[in-house]
Amino acid sequence: MATLWKPYTIVTSISKSPSHRSRSSSRSSTIVMASAERSGTAARRSPSAWETRISLVLALASQASSVSQRYLVELASETAKYAFPRRRFEARNLEEALMSVPDLETVKFRVLKRTNEYEIREVESYFIAETTMPGKTGFDFNGSSQAFNVLAAYLFGKNITSEQMEMTTPVYTRKSQSDGVKMDMTTPVITNKASSSSPNQDKWQMSFVMPSKYSSNLPMPKDPSVSIKEVPKKIVAVTAFSGFVTDEDVMQRESKLRESLRSDTEFQVKEGASVEVAQFNPPFTLPFTRRNEVSVEVERKA
């Protein structure tokens, strides 16, 4: 009997062994797959609150860096306009040869005549933003600063559309004459002296030339002390000088200009014309490189 069962036992053992290995392998595979699925689920889990905060901080840092770089580029571009000024005027003497003007938009004109004392220009029409200066002098520091800040605020966003504009040149100052919206700032800044018929004849007016791209479509100012005017096409006699402007200096140069024009055979001072002062440079400009102009409106002789 032992001899008969032994082969059977062996055969049975041999025949069952592959099947057993197959089931073991299958169970192993199932275990591996389940483990992989659990690993995948763990990998796909939502990030923790800490990880989310870190990601947000990194994103904000990247955005801030991008904005800072853009502002730095814009700042460098604006600084270059003042650091590397462009000469637009033909020099009549050494004083004028040393003058410089920022690379900003300014009023358009063509020269009709040039002498040793003055220049006759035909100036295209342009728009200005204007405000009344406090005090009875046109070039005291406090009055000029207050008026400049009011106009600058309008130019840089204190208007009904909150539009910010580029700088222009010059700034004009004049003694008030009756009547002319943030935009590009032009140059010069104009200071004007009023005619005797003006209700504010003892007041000085400061004005910024408005960027030409707006034309008459200028945003209205929020500050009621700022008015928008159009300066019509005109002919002016101009004389340039350097340094810082004073009221006494303006009076002397205006008187000399009017006296020189008396002997002009083509042009004469227009009746009722008042003096206008243009300043092209920011305050930090060296005195001997500053460009200022005194002008009066003229007309052709009959």
Side-chain angles (χ1 to χ4, degrees):
M1 291 293 293
T3 305
L4 291 174
W5 280 101
K6 190 174 183 180
Y8 177 79
T9 301
I10 294 173
V11 170
T12 302
S13 176
I14 294 174
S15 64
K16 289 182 178 180
S17 180
S19 175
H20 177 73
R21 286 196 299 270
S22 176
R23 286 195 296 270
S24 297
S25 176
S26 177
R27 284 195 297 270
S28 299
S29 298
T30 301
I31 292 171
V32 170
M33 291 175 63
S35 176
E37 288 177 358
R38 285 195 297 272
S39 299
T41 301
R44 292 193 299 271
R45 66 180 174 79
S46 299
S48 66
W50 176 251
E51 291 171 333
T52 301
R53 292 193 192 98
I54 293 296
S55 298
L56 180 59
V57 169
L58 291 175
L60 291 175
S62 177
Q63 182 179 7
S65 176
S66 177
V67 171
S68 299
Q69 289 176 3
R70 185 170 69 251
Y71 284 151
L72 285 174
V73 170
E74 292 176 357
L75 177 61
S77 177
E78 289 300 313
T79 302
K81 294 178 180 179
Y82 297 94
F84 305 101
R86 182 171 64 186
R87 287 185 171 81
R88 292 187 177 90
F89 306 92
E90 183 176 334
R92 291 181 293 113
N93 49 49
L94 178 59
E95 181 184 18
E96 290 189 22
L98 295 174
M99 297 176 187
S100 62
V101 176
D103 189 15
L104 302 172
E105 182 183 358
T106 187
V107 294
K108 296 179 180 179
F109 66 86
R110 68 186 183 96
V111 177
L112 303 180
K113 181 179 181 179
R114 184 178 287 110
T115 71
N116 291 332
E117 292 79 28
Y118 57 85
E119 189 173 85
I120 303 294
R121 300 175 187 167
E122 184 178 56
V123 183
E124 298 295 324
S125 63
Y126 56 93
F127 286 85
I128 60 173
E130 185 175 71
T131 191
T132 300
M133 303 171 66
K136 292 188 176 183
T137 61
F139 302 96
D140 68 282
F141 180 78
N142 290 332
S144 297
S145 297
Q146 290 181 44
F148 188 94
N149 290 339
V150 167
L151 293 175
Y154 164 70
L155 191 71
F156 298 134
K158 195 174 181 181
N159 52 68
I160 59 173
T161 61
S162 299
E163 184 168 359
Q164 299 185 12
M165 327 262 170
E166 296 177 356
M167 290 291 291
T168 58
T169 186
V171 173
Y172 284 109
T173 312
R174 64 182 177 83
K175 202 83 178 277
S176 63
Q177 285 180 335
S178 52
D179 331 86
V181 167
K182 191 168 156 204
M183 284 150 284
D184 297 338
M185 185 168 173
T186 54
T187 178
V189 179
I190 307 171
T191 313
N192 223 338
K193 193 173 182 180
S195 64
S196 58
S197 61
S198 171
N200 296 318
Q201 59 182 339
D202 290 333
K203 297 292 185 180
W204 285 80
Q205 306 287 330
M206 179 179 285
S207 57
F208 284 179
V209 179
M210 295 295 94
S212 58
K213 68 181 182 181
Y214 294 96
S215 185
S216 59
N217 302 314
L218 297 170
M220 295 303 296
K222 290 182 178 179
D223 190 333
S225 68
V226 178
S227 60
I228 306 301
K229 301 177 181 179
E230 180 178 11
V231 179
K233 186 176 182 179
K234 59 183 178 179
I235 300 175
V236 295
V238 179
T239 183
F241 61 101
S242 59
F244 292 99
V245 182
T246 65
D247 289 271
E248 294 75 16
D249 203 17
V250 170
M251 291 178 61
Q252 293 175 8
R253 293 181 185 279
E254 178 193 4
S255 178
K256 185 177 179 180
L257 176 60
R258 290 179 181 272
E259 183 64 32
S260 298
L261 286 167
R262 292 173 193 258
S263 58
D264 195 297
T265 58
E266 299 178 66
F267 299 92
Q268 62 186 12
V269 177
K270 193 172 183 178
E271 185 178 356
S274 62
V275 67
E276 189 170 69
V277 181
Q279 300 177 76
F280 289 81
N281 306 91
F284 54 78
T285 307
L286 293 173
F288 64 89
T289 64
R290 298 178 64 85
R291 184 179 183 90
N292 311 299
E293 294 179 347
V294 166
S295 66
V296 292
E297 188 170 0
V298 298
E299 60 187 358
R300 292 183 184 275
K301 290 184 175 180

